Amino acid sequence: MDLSKLLGQFGLDADSLQDMMQDPKVQTMMNKISGIMTQGGIMPGDVEDLVGEIEPDGEDGGDSTDIFGKMQDLMGDMGDLGNYLYEEIDLDEEVAAYDPQPEDAADRKFMAVLKEWIAQTVREIPAQDVCMLEIGYHEAFDAEDQVHYEIWLAYNTEETAAKNRERFGQEVWNWINWTDNQFRLVPDEPFAAWREAQGYDEANDGDEMIQRIYDLAAAAVIELHKERFTEQLFGRKVPVIIEGYEYYQKTAIRAVKVNGEELFDAAFFSDCGFEPDDEDETADDEA
């Protein structure tokens, strides 16, 4: 992301923008914005931290005072959005209530396709130290700008995970940093047949369709875990995340329902918009 373009949206000309870019406070602010933009979601704590860093130097700061004030307004709006997206909910209650099931014959048929595709795809992974899997959906465009609807599987290995931990100082759940973030795609024909059978119009029913895909994938993975599929392949239970490019609270709810909470750490739940409760924080402080 070219953050100079972001500042340009606030009416600065080229010369003023160049001067502003030399300001250490602007550089700090831009680095923080860059982190927010790339972390996979706006967290309320991020915005509060950023706003605290961008106080103007004084009333006569000229362009600097003006730009800092405008950026504070912008980040305040982002903070409201973050609080809206990540409202407080009870994870255990949501997991207990979430029950992904096929609703009709078309769903059951496509769920069977997904289950077989997941199993076959995971068997084809050319690594034995697989430690994370993810199933997601996106829209892609070919050279002629024709849209294609794709369900993909990504995986990470212990080797890559160790490098990420060394680089970032924690477990990295963002699949962009994984070993292969789009290893295989669901075949077009059964996917298209299911969409047609359910009458989905991607332009108008996209969100509903995606959630239905994820529910069917979740149901398929639950069955595979009951069969101890990953244990037989890799010698241990491997978590399967079901989501797209960004993680949300629903991502964590689905992940815990499918895999069990013990396979995820605090970094994952934080990525999904959950913060540790007061009891956990107290226990950590005492430790």
Side-chain angles (χ1 to χ4, degrees), residues 82-99:
N83 282 300
Y84 171 76
L85 291 175
Y86 297 105
E87 61 182 2
E88 291 186 7
I89 64 174
D90 187 295
L91 177 61
D92 292 336
E93 290 182 0
E94 295 294 329
V95 170
Y98 178 55
D99 184 26

Side-chain angles (χ1 to χ4, degrees), residues 12 19 22 27-28 87 101 125 132-133 135 153 172 180 182 216 218 237 245 259-260 271 273 276:
L12 293 173
D19 291 340
Q22 306 306 314
Q27 293 173 359
T28 298
E87 61 182 2
Q101 296 287 341
I125 293 175
M132 303 175 190
L133 297 164
I135 299 164
L153 185 142
V172 176
D180 192 324
Q182 195 176 112
L216 295 177
K237 187 176 182 180
Y245 293 130
N259 305 279
D271 287 349

Side-chain angles (χ1 to χ4, degrees), residues 83-286:
N83 282 300
Y84 171 76
L85 291 175
Y86 297 105
E87 61 182 2
E88 291 186 7
I89 64 174
D90 187 295
L91 177 61
D92 292 336
E93 290 182 0
E94 295 294 329
V95 170
Y98 178 55
D99 184 26
Q101 296 287 341
E103 294 182 352
D104 54 29
D107 272 3
R108 287 190 291 273
K109 183 177 181 179
F110 188 51
M111 176 185 156
V113 169
L114 287 174
K115 181 180 177 182
E116 178 56 32
W117 169 76
I118 294 167
Q120 183 60 37
T121 300
V122 174
R123 291 189 190 101
E124 294 174 0
I125 293 175
Q128 287 300 309
D129 62 337
V130 172
C131 60
M132 303 175 190
L133 297 164
E134 179 163 345
I135 299 164
Y137 164 90
H138 71 194
E139 297 178 2
F141 293 86
D142 61 21
E144 299 178 353
D145 289 333
Q146 297 297 310
V147 66
H148 295 273
Y149 305 99
E150 299 178 343
I151 301 173
W152 44 263
L153 185 142
Y155 72 89
N156 200 19
T157 62
E158 291 287 1
E159 180 181 4
T160 303
K163 292 178 181 177
N164 285 335
R165 285 192 295 270
E166 182 178 356
R167 178 183 177 188
F168 298 105
Q170 65 178 37
E171 196 71 78
V172 176
W173 294 94
N174 188 327
W175 57 269
I176 292 175
N177 296 297
W178 287 10
T179 306
D180 192 324
N181 56 33
Q182 195 176 112
F183 179 59
R184 290 284 190 276
L185 301 177
V186 166
D188 288 337
E189 185 175 344
F191 186 22
W194 173 76
R195 297 198 307 270
E196 182 177 357
Q198 299 295 13
Y200 281 126
D201 173 7
E202 289 81 0
N204 298 311
D205 306 320
D207 290 342
E208 178 185 347
M209 182 188 74
I210 293 169
Q211 292 307 310
R212 196 79 206 111
I213 291 169
Y214 291 167
D215 286 346
L216 295 177
V221 174
I222 287 172
E223 289 192 0
L224 287 169
H225 275 322
K226 287 180 179 178
E227 297 166 8
R228 299 179 60 81
F229 175 71
T230 58
E231 288 93 329
Q232 294 173 19
L233 278 180
F234 306 115
R236 64 191 180 284
K237 187 176 182 180
V238 175
V240 183
I241 301 168
I242 302 169
E243 192 54 85
Y245 293 130
E246 297 188 7
Y247 289 177
Y248 306 94
Q249 290 183 330
K250 185 60 178 288
T251 314
I253 294 165
R254 190 182 294 113
V256 171
K257 186 71 173 188
V258 167
N259 305 279
E261 188 170 356
E262 69 278 0
L263 295 184
F264 302 96
D265 64 5
F268 172 74
F269 292 108
S270 178
D271 287 349
C272 295
F274 284 99
E275 297 297 333
D277 57 34
D278 293 338
E279 182 177 343
D280 291 340
E281 291 178 339
T282 301
D284 291 341
D285 291 340
E286 292 176 352

Side-chain angles (χ1 to χ4, degrees), residues 63-81:
D63 287 338
S64 294
T65 300
D66 185 53
I67 190 67
F68 280 125
K70 290 180 178 179
M71 288 304 299
Q72 283 181 315
D73 291 341
L74 171 65
M75 297 314 298
D77 292 340
M78 291 176 68
D80 292 339
L81 175 61

